[in-house]
Amino acid sequence: NAGVTQTPKFRVLKTGQSMTLLCAQDMNHEYMYWYRQDPGMGLRLIHYSVGEGTTAKGEVPDGYNVSRLKKQNFLLGLESAAPSQTSVYFCASTLPSRGPRFFGPGTRLTVL
Amino acid sequence: DQQVKQNSPSLSVQEGRISILNCDYTNSMFDYFLWYKKYPAEGPTFLISISSIKDKNEDGRFTVFLNKSAKHLSLHIVPSQPGDSAVYFCAAETTSGTYKYIFGTGTRLKVLA
């Protein structure tokens, strides 16, 4: 089992560019989450999904979109990147249980 | 307004001794809490959780205590090991079933050999 994987690991964008972060899990989990972590702050929830074809907004959804077309994949899109989106992004998944239980290794994104 | 607070940014403990990490919260509606450990350049790892119907939960060297009247929880690690050196986050669910967990800012634990 690979667990939760994230692609890419690092990325540098220019302001206004777009990109998609991919999260994949091979544990047949129903719930998936996208978080961002900024220096001196805890993880903040961007969007989450409780099953294939469903998504919902978290605490800080502005500027991001998500899709969950397949159960094992959760995509996070930035349509027009801004410097404020410079962060480390973590994906997580879990069975129907309380709280995100398995995290990916993170994607470090820099927007210039 | 920080609803989940970890007021100690760092903590140093001697190997073999007890590590106590603290977390305070402001919302009395929180009813489920989790602790995570995070190493540099890795994702968080889930450690232990506790429901508000309990005041203690134990898993090996890790014990979480919940004091609802004080809105305080703590993670005890006994005995502490050098491999426990990491950043520890607590998290609380805002309302049951919302899937929205508020994380604290973390405490960096250093276990000295």
Side-chain angles (χ1 to χ4, degrees):
Chain A
N1 280 0
V4 180
T5 58
Q6 292 183 232
T7 309
K9 288 185 168 47
F10 303 93
R11 185 73 186 266
V12 178
L13 289 179
K14 293 181 180 178
T15 298
Q17 287 185 317
S18 63
M19 79 163 293
T20 300
L21 282 67
L22 170 63
C23 175
Q25 52 94 4
D26 61 0
M27 297 173 283
N28 203 34
H29 287 169
E30 290 291 336
Y31 300 168
M32 296 186 76
Y33 310 79
W34 275 108
Y35 288 89
R36 61 178 287 173
Q37 185 187 20
D38 301 298
M41 301 185 74
L43 279 73
R44 292 184 293 167
L45 182 64
I46 306 170
H47 286 280
Y48 64 96
S49 167
V50 298
E52 181 179 315
T54 73
T55 62
K57 294 180 181 179
E59 291 176 78
V60 289
D62 294 342
Y64 305 95
N65 56 74
V66 287
S67 65
R68 182 117 181 255
L69 299 179
K70 292 183 179 180
K71 187 176 183 178
Q72 63 268 34
N73 295 337
F74 195 27
L75 279 64
L76 177 71
L78 287 73
E79 289 185 349
S80 179
S84 60
Q85 293 178 304
T86 293
S87 188
V88 181
Y89 291 85
F90 291 102
C91 175
S93 74
T94 189
L95 291 166
S97 64
R98 299 191 72 174
R101 299 296 175 110
F102 298 89
F103 282 82
T107 295
R108 183 173 294 276
L109 175 66
T110 301
V111 183
L112 302 175
Chain B
D1 180 30
Q2 191 74 20
Q3 296 188 66
V4 177
K5 301 177 187 178
Q6 293 179 258
N7 292 317
S8 299
S10 63
L11 173 70
S12 291
V13 170
Q14 208 66 34
E15 181 180 5
R17 306 293 292 269
I18 184 172
S19 294
I20 301 176
L21 298 117
N22 294 307
C23 182
D24 296 295
Y25 59 96
T26 57
N27 189 339
S28 58
M29 297 300 292
F30 288 168
D31 69 347
Y32 197 80
F33 305 87
L34 305 98
W35 282 95
Y36 299 86
K37 173 174 73 175
K38 185 182 181 303
Y39 294 121
E42 294 185 13
T45 301
F46 167 73
L47 283 174
I48 193 168
S49 62
I50 187 166
S51 164
S52 61
I53 62 173
K54 294 185 174 183
D55 54 18
K56 177 182 173 181
N57 190 24
E58 213 169 335
D59 184 0
R61 296 186 298 114
F62 301 94
T63 303
V64 56
F65 295 92
L66 176 61
N67 183 333
K68 289 187 290 293
S69 60
K71 296 192 185 71
H72 176 83
L73 67 156
S74 60
L75 175 68
H76 293 210
I77 306 173
V78 184
S80 301
Q81 300 172 353
D84 296 329
S85 297
V87 178
Y88 290 78
F89 294 96
C90 62
E93 187 176 22
T94 55
T95 305
S96 179
T98 62
Y99 314 104
K100 295 181 182 179
Y101 287 80
I102 304 292
F103 281 74
T105 53
T107 296
R108 184 177 303 277
L109 172 67
K110 189 170 184 179
V111 180
L112 306 169

